[in-house]
């Protein structure tokens, strides 16, 4: 797979159901044992609880300059658990069955795979100059 916006996430943004600047946006780190990106997935409950290694706090310092969504870097503290192979951006409504999936990332800049095994250290996701994604 490659980094992608979920089709239903794109629709939610275009329909105004997701406000990237004002809604609570979070990131979930995903274990690759059984979760596979699927264009039909729409809500967080499509990613099984066992495939969610860790969830961030709400993203801060969000911007949409020139069509690029960006936010402050995110740090996961003392991360443990299964091998992480991707991360997913979603709108947190407080309920997994109504929290829209927005974007899936399993590649790092330069095209390499995003994969690591947590060892209790911190993990910081640093978003590049182009932001998290552009539309």
């Amino acid at each position: 797979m490659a980094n992608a916006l979920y089709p239903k996430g794109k629709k939610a943004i275009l329909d105004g159901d997701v406000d990237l600047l004002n809604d609570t946006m979070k990131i979930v780190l995903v274990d690759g044992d059984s979760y596979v990106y699927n264009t039909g997935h729409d809500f967080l409950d499509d990613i099984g609880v066992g495939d969610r290694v860790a969830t961030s706090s709400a993203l801060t310092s969000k911007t949409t300059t020139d069509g690029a969504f960006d936010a402050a870097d995110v740090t996961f503290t003392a991360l443990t658990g299964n091998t992480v192979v991707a991360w997913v951006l979603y709108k947190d409504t407080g309920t997994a069955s109504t929290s829209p999936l927005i974007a899936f990332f399993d590649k790092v800049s330069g095209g390499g795979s995003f994969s690591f095994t947590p060892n209790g250290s911190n993990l910081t996701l640093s978003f590049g100059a182009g932001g998290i994604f552009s539309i």
Side-chain angles (χ1 to χ4, degrees), residues 26-29 54-56 59 74 76 87-90 125 127:
K26 292 185 176 180
I27 291 172
V28 61
L29 300 177
T55 301
S56 73
L59 300 185
V74 175
F76 294 86
W87 59 275
V88 173
L89 173 71
Y90 71 99
L125 287 179
F127 308 120

Side-chain angles (χ1 to χ4, degrees), residues 1-5 35-39 86 104-107 111-113:
M1 183 61 222
N3 299 343
L5 295 177
Y35 181 75
V36 177
Y37 171 87
N38 183 309
T39 59
F104 175 89
F105 299 90
D106 67 348
K107 302 289 182 204
S113 294

Side-chain angles (χ1 to χ4, degrees), residues 18-39:
V18 169
D19 182 335
L20 296 168
L21 294 178
N22 294 306
D23 289 338
T24 300
M25 306 302 297
K26 292 185 176 180
I27 291 172
V28 61
L29 300 177
V30 179
D31 173 357
D33 285 343
S34 61
Y35 181 75
V36 177
Y37 171 87
N38 183 309
T39 59

Side-chain angles (χ1 to χ4, degrees), residues 84-107:
V84 176
V85 297
W87 59 275
V88 173
L89 173 71
Y90 71 99
K91 171 186 170 180
D92 185 18
T93 65
T95 304
S97 62
T98 62
S99 294
L101 301 176
I102 306 301
F104 175 89
F105 299 90
D106 67 348
K107 302 289 182 204

